């Protein structure tokens, strides 16, 4: 199983809504990532979790709140977003230790539209 | 800080021909990984090829090969026998090798090159 699964694939929300994005992997990877990607642009790193602990926060606004409940699951809680937050949100995971190859495995993304 | 530069925003190639995508990077690190990722219009980012900086031999994966010039900090991707399914945005990416410190977790992307393969 070499998949990173993201749900939902599409999400439309108002600026006052609270919603969550979910990411799951069963590859035993112990590093998980959230990226934000605008059209025809590279992904921008938001957060990195290593062994279920937040290791990198790229100065992301507090309206984005990550959570890593266990080694297989990563959530991104969304609250009071702005229209400019509309983007594709990518989750990725990476093996740590062992046969380390450095590469990230990406999910298909969640397309978020903020009205 | 690491930077990755892709100087070709868009490229096109005829089916069955060969195309080369350019990438340069800047780092003071000696041990690192370089990657080419492909993101088709269906959007899932897929690893195309990986190069460890300590390896002198250029990586190859079927029709994909790289020209890694460590001293020049250059990492180009050659696609041979281009196929329609190669149409995608291609990202060159850099990651420090090793553990410890927040910078080791980061994957730095270039701006991307949109490749279109024409029939």
């Amino acid at each position: 199983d070499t998949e990173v699964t993201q749900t939902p694939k599409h999400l439309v929300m108002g600026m006052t809504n609270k919603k969550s994005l979910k990411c799951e992997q069963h590859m035993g990877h112990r590093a998980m990532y959230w990226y934000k990607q605008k059209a025809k642009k590279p992904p921008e790193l938001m957060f990195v979790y290593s062994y279920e602990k937040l290791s990198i926060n790229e100065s992301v606004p507090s309206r984005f709140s990550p959570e890593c409940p266990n080694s297989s699951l990563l959530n991104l809680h969304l609250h009071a977003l702005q229209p400019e937050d509309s983007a594709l949100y990518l989750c990725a995971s990476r093996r740590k230790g062992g046969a380390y190859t450095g590469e990230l495995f990406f999910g298909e993304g969640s397309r978020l539209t903020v009205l | 800080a690491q930077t990755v530069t892709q100087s070709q925003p868009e490229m096109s190639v005829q089916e069955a021909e060969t195309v080369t995508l350019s990438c340069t990077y800047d780092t003071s690190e000696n041990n690192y990984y370089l990657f080419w990722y492909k993101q088709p219009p269906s959007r899932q980012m897929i690893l195309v090829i990986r190069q460890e900086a300590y390896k002198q031999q250029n990586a190859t994966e079927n029709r994909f090969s790289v020209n890694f010039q460590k001293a020049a900090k250059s990492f180009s991707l050659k696609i041979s026998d281009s196929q329609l399914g190669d149409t995608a945005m291609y990202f060159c990416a850099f990651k420090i090798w090793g553990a410890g410190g927040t910078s080791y977790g980061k994957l730095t992307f270039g701006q991307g090159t949109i490749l279109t393969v024409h029939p």
Side-chain angles (χ1 to χ4, degrees), chain B residues 13-16 83-84 87 116-119:
Chain B
V13 65
Q14 293 295 125
E15 201 173 5
Q83 300 176 0
L84 297 178
T87 293
T116 303
V117 180
H118 297 286

Side-chain angles (χ1 to χ4, degrees), chain B residues 18-67:
Chain B
T18 296
V19 64
T20 299
L21 279 56
S22 301
C23 173
T24 58
Y25 60 94
D26 190 25
T27 183
S28 58
E29 300 287 335
N30 193 47
N31 295 318
Y32 49 87
Y33 292 95
L34 292 162
F35 307 94
W36 279 99
Y37 278 89
K38 167 186 177 181
Q39 190 175 34
S42 63
R43 78 193 182 197
Q44 184 168 20
M45 193 89 69
I46 304 167
L47 179 70
V48 175
I49 200 164
R50 173 184 63 245
Q51 176 80 42
E52 291 89 344
Y54 67 86
K55 290 186 177 178
Q56 292 186 340
Q57 186 172 7
N58 290 325
T60 61
E61 286 288 341
N62 300 315
R63 298 183 294 107
F64 299 89
S65 62
V66 298
N67 183 2

